[in-house]
Amino acid sequence: MIKKSFDEIFTVENLYNAHLRGRVAKRQKRPIVRYELKLLENINELYLDITSGKYRIKKYNSFTVFEPKQREIQTLRYSDRIVQHVICDDVLAPYFTQHAIADNCVCQINKGTHYALKRLENNLRKFIRQNGLNGYVLKCDIHKYFPSIPHRQLKELVLKHIKDKKLRDFIEMIIDSYHTNPTYLKDIQCEPTEKVRKHPSVQNMIITGRGIPIGNQTSQIFGMFYLDKLDRMVKEKLQVKIYSRYMDDFVLVHKDKNYLKYALNEIKNLLDKLGLKLNKKTQIFPIKNGLTYLGFRYQVSSSGKIIKKVSTKTVRRFCAKARLLNRAYADGIIDVEKVNESLRAYHGHFKHANCFKLEQNLLKRIKIEEIAKQKNKNVIK
């Protein structure tokens, strides 16, 4: 139970410290520069709005990203992000991450994609040593996870862990500050859970009772913990030893295919109660066929050796990125350092797999030196 009170959490000191955390590596950005021009005044005004009960999240800004896949991201004004830091860093994250199982690998200190992958690799090796290639994988992905989370079930799950009523009301306000648009819900074949109507305080928002914004820090905590019942069912009721979940992607490994079919049915029943459903990518397949998870492809040789490579999607993204970098450099939009920054990011991903030759071949697609020489020739002419 979270025993901290609303008044303990929202102090001027905590808001200021949250600002210091929020500005890390972003001080040059305009919203933060503007905020810091009148820092004490802005912090005090935010504190008074919160403690007087006037504070509301008024509007979300939306933009679309295309890597690793197309998503619509919702962002808050900077003062709202300060509030999110206070709620998450000081209250929600310390409590809910402590109550998550070890195989829930997202949004927790000392965890992440590489923690999930390393843990899964070790468990796969143990499984293959004991059972050979006689095993199966159940790979699941939840259909449009963030846009379809029902507010009612989410509030029931989260708020029962909070003692202070004022704090419960505040977090309920945050959850209800965003609703997935009814048109989008129709596109993804998901029904609203409330009567569709205009939101009383958020501009251009329509109430549907579903969805949490991907860009919110609170949403990462809610998304991490909302499937805690699933984690515990898999580990405690179904007693599946090899299990890994990273937000809405998860895998189960078992030697009996029929047992995984039974597990899949149990998972569907639980997700139905949570207002969610699995997408079409969910499948059961032999472990000898290999496994793609979190951007990496695991291949299993006839001898039982596990070979880790980057996924085909990652290779395609790199090729597309290479074309963009070449074009942007040729047009003078970016310099060599920006190109190198992108390459270092990809190298940080590739180095975790057995793909040295692949990386070297892909790097040949970066034509910066050739473009620079061509530029010099044009200047001389």
Side-chain angles (χ1 to χ4, degrees):
M1 178 71 72
I2 296 172
K3 295 182 179 179
K4 284 186 178 181
S5 69
F6 181 90
D7 296 327
E8 283 180 89
I9 294 162
F10 288 108
T11 64
V12 171
E13 182 181 3
N14 284 346
L15 289 169
Y16 176 72
N17 289 333
H19 157 68
L20 296 181
R21 295 193 297 273
R23 75 179 186 179
V24 172
K26 302 173 186 174
R27 293 192 70 179
Q28 76 282 7
K29 294 192 175 181
R30 289 182 182 179
I32 299 177
V33 171
R34 287 196 295 266
Y35 198 85
E36 289 197 317
L37 287 173
K38 298 181 179 179
L39 179 58
L40 296 180
E41 183 180 330
N42 287 330
I43 290 288
N44 187 59
E45 183 181 346
L46 180 59
Y47 169 75
L48 293 175
D49 282 348
I50 292 170
T51 53
S52 66
K54 293 180 181 178
Y55 174 81
R56 293 291 184 275
I57 294 176
K58 294 179 181 178
K59 186 181 178 182
Y60 286 88
N61 296 313
S62 297
F63 63 93
T64 303
V65 297
F66 297 91
E67 287 192 28
K69 61 183 177 181
Q70 185 173 342
R71 296 178 189 269
E72 186 175 292
I73 308 296
Q74 296 77 32
T75 61
L76 292 167
R77 57 182 182 172
Y78 183 66
S79 59
D80 293 326
R81 280 181 266 159
I82 291 174
V83 175
Q84 294 269 315
H85 270 291
V86 173
I87 285 286
C88 293
D89 300 347
D90 299 339
V91 184
L92 299 181
Y95 179 81
F96 287 115
T97 56
Q98 185 181 6
H99 288 73
I101 68 168
D103 292 303
N104 179 347
C105 303
V106 69
C107 294
Q108 298 166 69
I109 296 173
N110 298 323
K111 288 190 177 183
T113 55
H114 295 301
Y115 169 89
L117 291 165
K118 187 174 181 180
R119 186 175 174 85
L120 179 62
E121 287 170 41
N122 292 335
N123 286 332
L124 281 175
R125 288 192 179 95
K126 290 178 184 177
F127 180 88
I128 291 171
R129 281 199 298 269
Q130 294 172 359
N131 303 282
L133 301 182
N134 301 315
Y136 295 86
V137 178
L138 167 57
K139 190 172 186 294
C140 301
D141 189 1
I142 293 176
H143 181 62
K144 303 298 180 183
Y145 182 48
F146 277 79
S148 60
I149 290 179
H151 287 195
R152 181 178 61 81
Q153 286 98 318
L154 176 61
K155 286 186 281 189
E156 286 176 359
L157 175 70
V158 173
L159 300 182
K160 70 180 181 181
H161 293 277
I162 301 171
K163 185 176 181 180
D164 186 74
K165 185 182 183 304
K166 200 173 179 182
L167 182 57
R168 287 201 305 270
D169 292 342
F170 191 84
I171 292 176
E172 185 173 4
M173 178 273 295
I174 291 175
I175 293 172
D176 287 334
S177 69
Y178 177 84
H179 294 257
T180 302
N181 188 282
T183 304
Y184 184 74
L185 286 180
K186 186 177 181 181
D187 290 342
I188 64 174
Q189 299 179 337
C190 190
E191 293 293 326
T193 60
E194 294 186 33
K195 181 182 177 182
V196 177
R197 60 195 188 278
K198 287 185 178 181
H199 198 287
S201 60
V202 183
Q203 186 180 353
N204 299 325
M205 185 71 69
I206 299 174
I207 292 175
T208 58
R210 283 189 185 270
I212 55 177
I214 293 177
N216 269 16
Q217 191 179 356
T218 49
S219 297
Q220 301 303 309
I221 305 300
F222 296 152
M224 177 273 293
F225 196 72
Y226 189 64
L227 294 176
D228 183 65
K229 288 184 178 178
L230 169 68
D231 297 337
R232 297 189 180 280
M233 183 188 76
V234 171
K235 298 299 290 185
E236 296 169 10
K237 179 184 175 182
L238 300 177
Q239 296 186 350
V240 175
K241 292 182 179 180
I242 303 180
Y243 170 70
S244 179
R245 179 170 75 85
Y246 192 88
M247 201 59 83
D248 59 332
D249 292 331
F250 54 98
V251 295
L252 295 77
V253 179
H254 199 274
K255 60 183 179 181
D256 188 343
K257 184 177 182 179
N258 289 327
Y259 192 77
L260 286 181
K261 288 181 179 179
Y262 164 71
L264 177 58
N265 189 56
E266 291 291 299
I267 289 169
K268 287 180 178 178
N269 291 335
L270 177 60
L271 291 179
D272 186 58
K273 293 176 183 177
L274 293 173
L276 303 170
K277 58 184 178 181
L278 296 170
N279 67 17
K280 295 178 181 179
K281 292 187 287 185
T282 298
Q283 57 181 317
I284 298 173
F285 50 87
I287 198 170
K288 63 184 178 182
N289 289 1
L291 164 67
T292 301
Y293 184 52
L294 302 181
F296 289 91
R297 174 71 183 170
Y298 291 101
Q299 296 175 340
V300 184
S301 68
S302 57
S303 64
K305 182 181 179 181
I306 296 175
I307 303 166
K308 183 181 179 183
K309 296 185 177 182
V310 293
S311 67
T312 303
K313 284 185 178 180
T314 302
V315 173
R316 287 175 186 161
R317 284 201 301 272
F318 182 90
C319 294
K321 186 74 170 181
R323 290 193 293 271
L324 289 173
L325 290 173
N326 289 335
R327 194 178 307 143
Y329 180 73
D331 294 342
I333 298 172
I334 61 174
D335 57 17
V336 174
E337 183 53 36
K338 287 291 183 183
V339 175
N340 288 332
E341 282 181 14
S342 293
L343 295 181
R344 283 194 292 269
Y346 273 97
H347 174 69
H349 188 73
F350 287 141
K351 72 179 183 180
H352 292 280
N354 307 110
C355 58
F356 176 78
K357 289 184 179 179
L358 172 64
E359 183 179 2
Q360 296 304 307
N361 289 332
L362 289 174
L363 286 174
K364 292 177 183 177
R365 293 175 176 269
I366 305 294
K367 308 291 185 180
I368 302 304
E369 291 184 7
E370 295 175 23
I371 294 170
K373 287 178 182 179
Q374 187 62 43
K375 281 183 175 182
N376 291 333
K377 285 183 181 179
N378 292 337
V379 170
I380 293 171
K381 289 180 181 179

